[in-house]
């Protein structure tokens, strides 16, 4: 149990608290974008869930006209609460939430991946982060992957920031290839000397449509751990279990799909076997205890 010493940082609150100094509030920017970075809309739905849960209030928006091709990202016409038809334009909503019983303030960035001027768009977000005294940026995404729906959804945490990697024991990303707006914002954050990390949930590609409550729940659980906060997700847990039962039923109706799912399950279980060690069990138990302490 030596690796679980009390002074070992386990999340952003530990990371930015100076030893021997009074505890201060930590401001974390969470960002997710609908589109290419958001399989099953799991990432954007996770941040919307947190915004509703903590009662976030809008502090800013990014104007749509400069950054979107409306033939590609079309505005929607909807009725408002009074029954009037209004056009809803794609935009980026920035809101703030104060997490109770915690030293964390959240800046939530929810938007649609822009069509144009990505460098100007991300520079505007980074400038806002500086203005709001953001200590850390956490980018949230979801991608389609060869994973079974019947097993825990993998969530990968990476960072190219030395402080984050060394303190929170996360790996740098090894991905090379096309990127979305999340990848651009990650680099812009680092260039601005704001510690930045990325969370990616792996959504089963054969059920990649929205909603994807199990992936959304996995992201929220990982955010709880990293931010060292507590989010009540019992409703989402029930939705996740219902989603999994529904996919089970669909899979049994198609023998080829059922065989493919079994193949993915076997591959996943084989990879996970080494994790059933005393060290991994102790690590999970320590996470459980820390969550219980935060809830008290």
């Amino acid at each position: 149990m030596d690796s679980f010493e009390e002074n070992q940082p386990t999340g952003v609150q530990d990371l930015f608290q100076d030893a021997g100094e009074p505890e201060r509030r930590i401001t974390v920017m969470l960002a997710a974008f609908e589109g290419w970075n958001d399989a099953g809309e799991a990432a954007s739905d996770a941040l919307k869930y947190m915004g509703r849960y903590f009662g976030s209030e809008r502090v800013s928006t990014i104007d749509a006209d400069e950054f979107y091709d409306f033939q590609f990202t079309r505005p929607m016409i909807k009725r408002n609460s009074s029954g009037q038809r209004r056009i809803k334009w794609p935009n980026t909503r920035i809101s703030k939430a104060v997490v109770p019983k915690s030293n964390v303030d959240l800046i939530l960035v929810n938007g649609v991946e822009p069509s144009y001027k990505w460098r100007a768009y991300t520079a505007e977000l980074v400038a806002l982060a500086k203005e709001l005294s953001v200590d850390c940026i956490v980018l949230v995404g979801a991608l389609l992957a060869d994973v079974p729906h019947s097993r825990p959804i993998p969530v990968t945490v990476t960072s190219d920031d030395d402080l984050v990697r060394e303190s929170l024991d996360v790996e740098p990303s090894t991905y090379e290839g096309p990127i979305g707006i999340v990848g651009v914002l990650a680099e812009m954050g680092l260039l601005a000397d704001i510690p930045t990390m990325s969370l990616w949930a792996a959504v089963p590609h054969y059920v990649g449509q929205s909603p994807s409550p199990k992936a959304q729940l996995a992201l929220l659980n990982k955010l709880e751990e990293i931010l060292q906060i507590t989010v009540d997700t019992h409703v989402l847990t029930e939705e996740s279990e219902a989603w999994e039962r529904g996919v089970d039923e669909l899979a049994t109706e198609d023998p080829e799909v059922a065989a493919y799912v079994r193949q993915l399950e076997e591959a996943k279980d084989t990879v996970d076997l080494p994790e059933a060690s005393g060290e991994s069990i102790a690590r999970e138990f320590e996470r459980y205890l820390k969550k219980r302490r935060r809830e008290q």
Side-chain angles (χ1 to χ4, degrees):
M1 298 287 287
D2 293 341
S3 59
F4 302 120
E5 295 176 0
E6 285 298 321
N7 60 358
Q8 176 66 32
T10 60
V12 296
Q13 293 190 57
D14 293 336
L15 185 60
F16 295 103
Q17 296 292 358
D18 296 325
E21 296 293 328
E23 289 190 351
R24 68 179 183 89
R25 297 201 69 79
I26 308 300
T27 302
V28 180
M29 175 178 278
L30 302 179
F33 301 89
E34 298 174 24
W36 196 74
N37 310 272
D38 194 20
E41 299 184 4
S44 56
D45 283 348
L47 261 61
K48 290 174 184 175
Y49 188 100
M50 292 191 77
R52 291 191 300 270
Y53 182 74
F54 290 119
S56 65
E57 297 183 357
R58 182 178 300 194
V59 294
S60 183
T61 57
I62 294 181
D63 182 57
D65 287 354
E66 188 175 355
F67 298 109
Y68 292 97
D69 177 350
F70 296 131
Q71 289 184 323
F72 179 74
T73 307
R74 290 188 177 272
M76 304 288 288
I77 190 160
K78 295 185 176 182
R79 294 189 183 276
N80 60 21
S81 57
S82 62
Q84 296 175 311
R85 281 157 49 90
R86 291 288 184 266
I87 294 176
K88 182 178 180 181
W89 297 90
N91 65 7
T92 302
R93 183 181 189 272
I94 298 98
S95 58
K96 182 175 182 178
V98 176
V99 181
K101 300 180 181 179
S102 168
N103 292 319
V104 174
D105 294 331
L106 299 177
I107 304 298
L108 300 167
V109 179
N110 286 97
V112 180
E113 184 177 67
S115 308
Y116 306 121
K117 301 181 181 179
W118 283 16
R119 283 176 288 191
Y121 176 86
T122 51
E124 190 167 335
L125 281 174
V126 169
L128 181 63
K130 289 284 191 179
E131 181 182 331
L132 296 172
S133 301
V134 166
D135 295 287
C136 179
I137 297 175
V138 179
L139 303 165
V140 186
L143 73 161
L144 298 176
D146 293 328
V147 295
H149 71 279
S150 53
R151 298 294 185 267
I153 295 292
V155 177
T156 303
V157 183
T158 62
S159 178
D160 290 320
D161 181 89
D162 292 338
L163 173 66
V164 174
R165 286 206 315 270
E166 295 172 6
S167 299
L168 302 185
D169 192 25
V170 300
E171 298 294 325
S173 174
T174 58
Y175 172 77
E176 295 184 45
I179 60 170
I181 196 66
V182 168
V184 179
L185 183 53
E187 180 166 294
M188 293 293 284
L190 290 171
L191 290 174
D193 293 323
I194 303 176
T196 303
M197 69 183 81
S198 299
L199 276 64
W200 286 88
V203 177
H205 70 88
Y206 54 93
V207 282
Q209 65 273 21
S210 173
S212 188
K214 190 169 182 177
Q216 180 186 344
L217 179 61
L219 285 168
L220 286 170
N221 288 340
K222 183 58 70 173
L223 285 169
E224 278 189 289
E225 179 185 330
I226 288 175
L227 300 175
Q228 298 170 287
I229 63 176
T230 300
V231 181
D232 185 351
T233 55
H234 74 276
V235 173
L236 192 56
T237 300
E238 294 173 359
E239 292 178 4
S240 175
E241 292 170 351
W243 175 86
E244 185 171 335
R245 289 193 298 271
V247 178
D248 285 340
E249 292 175 5
L250 291 174
T252 57
E253 294 174 1
D254 188 326
E256 290 186 6
V257 173
Y260 178 64
V261 171
R262 283 195 298 273
Q263 179 183 339
L264 291 176
E265 289 172 340
E266 291 171 1
K268 175 66 175 172
D269 293 344
T270 300
V271 169
D272 286 348
L273 278 176
E275 289 298 317
S277 63
E279 183 178 350
S280 66
I281 293 171
R283 184 164 57 246
E284 291 302 318
F285 184 62
E286 181 68 15
R287 289 172 182 165
Y288 167 77
L289 290 177
K290 288 180 178 178
K291 182 174 181 179
R292 284 290 301 274
R293 285 198 292 270
R294 291 199 301 270
E295 291 173 346
Q296 291 176 354

